[in-house]
Amino acid sequence: MICLLAAVTLPAAETPSGISITELEPVAQWQGSGALALDRSVGCTPLQIGDRTFDGGLGTHAASEVMFELGQGYERFEAWVGIDAAKLHSTTASVVFKVFADQQVVFDSGVMRGNTPARRVSVPLTGVRELKLVVTEAGCALP
């Protein structure tokens, strides 16, 4: 199952347009299969959720966790999350995306399937020191 965290920016006070999450080095990461992909899906295709294509972001499998230590100045984490368009008609693909800020859940996508449109993530980061991105398998196959 291929999952995406796409179009990710972390606005910092000195860079109003923000930076891509791919510019930060994770301090810890793991995933159930394959390797974390930067600016592409784990299948080496462009990042696409439904009919939306994204220029940058992270491609990963479920289950996975990626953790970043943040310095000062980050104001907001913004992203679009969803399942790779290659799984659009899958009856078994189902995941949940969560974002943790200093070990507190600040975003929970609920169950997303292959045909679920991309969901927007926008969470404040002021004062946050640790950002963790988690994708879990939801285990909700369609009949």
Side-chain angles (χ1 to χ4, degrees), residues 9-83:
T9 58
L10 294 158
E14 64 279 359
T15 57
S17 62
I19 64 168
S20 172
I21 193 82
T22 60
E23 295 179 50
L24 299 178
E25 185 73 28
V27 294
Q29 65 178 351
W30 72 266
Q31 61 184 40
S33 176
L36 184 66
L38 304 180
D39 298 329
R40 60 183 171 77
S41 76
V42 293
C44 296
T45 60
L47 294 171
Q48 184 175 352
I49 303 168
D51 60 357
R52 295 185 68 169
T53 301
F54 299 89
D55 291 331
L58 304 176
T60 186
H61 279 282
S64 67
E65 291 186 9
V66 183
M67 188 172 67
F68 301 91
E69 286 184 1
L70 302 178
Q72 294 189 7
Y74 294 103
E75 297 171 354
R76 184 159 294 278
F77 172 74
E78 297 178 349
W80 290 91
V81 297
I83 296 177

